[in-house]
Amino acid sequence: MAEKHRVEMVEVGPRDGLQNEALVVPTADKAELIRRAIDFGARRIEVTSFVNPKKVPHLADAEELVAMLPERGDVTYIGLVLNRRGAERALATGRIDELGAVCVTSDSFGIRNQGQSADESLAAAMEIVGLARAAGRSGQITIATAFGCPFEGEVAVARVVEMAKRACDAQPREIALADTIGVGVPSQVAEMVGRVREAVDGLPVRVHFHNTRGTGLANVWAAVAEGAATVDASLGGLGGCPFAPGAAGNVATEDVVYMLERSGIATGIDLPAAVEAAHWFTGVMGRPLPAMVSRAPAFPG
Ligand code: ZN
């Protein structure tokens, strides 16, 4: 990875990290998590999701939370949305800089996750990016279950490449590849990132890994080596999709930052500050979090 010395991190803890927890985190603590993420260097933060509060009660406070966000010209706040209604809610807040749209590779997951077939989910994602752009905001498209589907098993690389290519027509700021259920392995990630990068003609590729089977960090490494520009992570390693059986946490911000920074790849994140925030967050959650670096002695000293 000789020429690649910097990656951008997206902090997804406030959204992905909290939606699957038994504990519903108070809105004030979510706002504090976001403030601390900004303090440790996060400049793109997925703050919440504008979805049906009946389906994801943890995120029912989206508008209230967004109103509490610090006014920062240098921070991009991302709101995840699944349809036009969600996009309109997010844009109506006036505080969301970017809409995150999600399409899925299979009909069976799509119907459960967002009530859409795979093709419908891609059409909806493209519409969402269009709405964002029309409002002077940016939009990005995530291809969920890109590395495997909980209901249909293996997902062909060609399928993901084809969806990524079609998604480009909407002019998203990037294409993200998400391992929603944490089944990906490094060789697969390398092939997928490489082939999608070729297909999307210069558009940045972002990756989103869950550590369900312990391959999360290895997958981040493989993706960065293949030129992924942006890596998602959540403080403490919380996370999971309520509609994906057995889903476990995201790769942890502090673990990814430790690995990359000590390898000479800049992330923009202040590791000691992130570890301190993780300790605070552990107190909020009331239990040890899956991340490892924040539970280990600092190194080097
Ligand atoms: Zn996720």
Side-chain angles (χ1 to χ4, degrees):
M1 58 182 72
E3 79 283 8
K4 190 76 195 173
H5 292 295
R6 166 168 283 278
V7 299
E8 177 192 48
M9 304 283 298
V10 176
E11 177 59 46
V12 299
R15 196 277 306 170
D16 206 344
L18 298 180
Q19 69 183 8
N20 210 28
E21 287 292 307
L23 176 74
V24 177
V25 174
T27 309
D29 285 336
K30 294 179 183 177
E32 180 64 16
L33 174 60
I34 292 163
R35 274 193 293 275
R36 287 177 186 248
I38 294 169
D39 285 348
F40 67 63
R43 291 297 176 266
R44 265 179 96 191
I45 305 174
E46 208 169 81
V47 292
T48 189
S49 180
F50 294 85
V51 290
N52 186 340
K54 285 191 194 113
K55 288 195 178 152
V56 190
H58 291 67
L59 303 176
D61 60 354
E63 276 87 354
E64 193 192 337
L65 174 64
V66 167
M68 294 166 75
L69 297 178
E71 301 227 20
R72 295 277 302 229
D74 60 342
V75 176
T76 299
Y77 295 125
I78 307 171
L80 202 77
V81 302
L82 298 176
N83 50 38
R84 170 180 275 272
R85 166 93 188 103
E88 287 168 351
R89 277 177 61 201
L91 292 170
T93 66
R95 299 295 311 282
I96 292 291
D97 304 297
E98 183 174 318
L99 299 185
V102 182
C103 63
V104 298
T105 60
S106 80
D107 293 342
S108 41
F109 185 76
I111 299 295
R112 286 173 178 83
N113 189 57
Q114 53 208 69
Q116 295 163 335
S117 72
D119 279 349
E120 285 166 354
S121 74
L122 179 57
M126 293 172 72
E127 183 192 20
I128 288 162
V129 172
L131 291 167
R133 289 170 56 82
R137 308 291 159 128
S138 63
Q140 63 81 227
I141 296 181
T142 294
I143 303 176
T145 63
F147 300 89
C149 169
F151 308 108
E152 298 188 11
E154 297 282 2
V155 173
V157 179
R159 167 72 174 150
V160 178
V161 168
E162 180 247 322
M163 290 186 81
K165 239 184 209 160
R166 281 160 60 196
C168 289
D169 290 344
Q171 297 181 268
R173 74 176 275 177
E174 76 197 353
I175 300 292
L177 304 173
D179 188 7
T180 312
I181 56 170
V183 291
V185 294
S187 57
Q188 177 191 22
V189 168
E191 185 188 7
M192 189 82 81
V193 170
R195 286 193 42 198
V196 168
R197 279 191 74 212
E198 278 168 21
V200 298
D201 203 23
L203 213 57
V205 171
R206 169 177 160 194
V207 288
H208 179 101
F209 295 114
H210 284 262
N211 197 36
T212 319
R213 290 168 181 80
T215 55
L217 278 182
N219 289 341
V220 169
W221 186 255
V224 170
E226 280 299 321
T230 303
V231 174
D232 286 8
S234 82
L235 189 70
L238 282 186
C241 170
F243 307 103
N250 288 280
V251 287
T253 303
E254 57 269 45
D255 295 359
V256 172
V257 169
Y258 175 82
M259 176 182 76
L260 294 178
E261 293 276 348
R262 283 208 74 221
S263 305
I265 300 163
T267 61
I269 304 294
D270 176 343
L271 183 58
V275 167
E276 203 185 310
H279 291 159
W280 164 82
F281 191 42
T282 300
V284 171
M285 300 310 293
R287 64 174 173 87
L289 304 182
M292 299 194 77
V293 167
S294 45
R295 289 186 286 141
F299 184 88

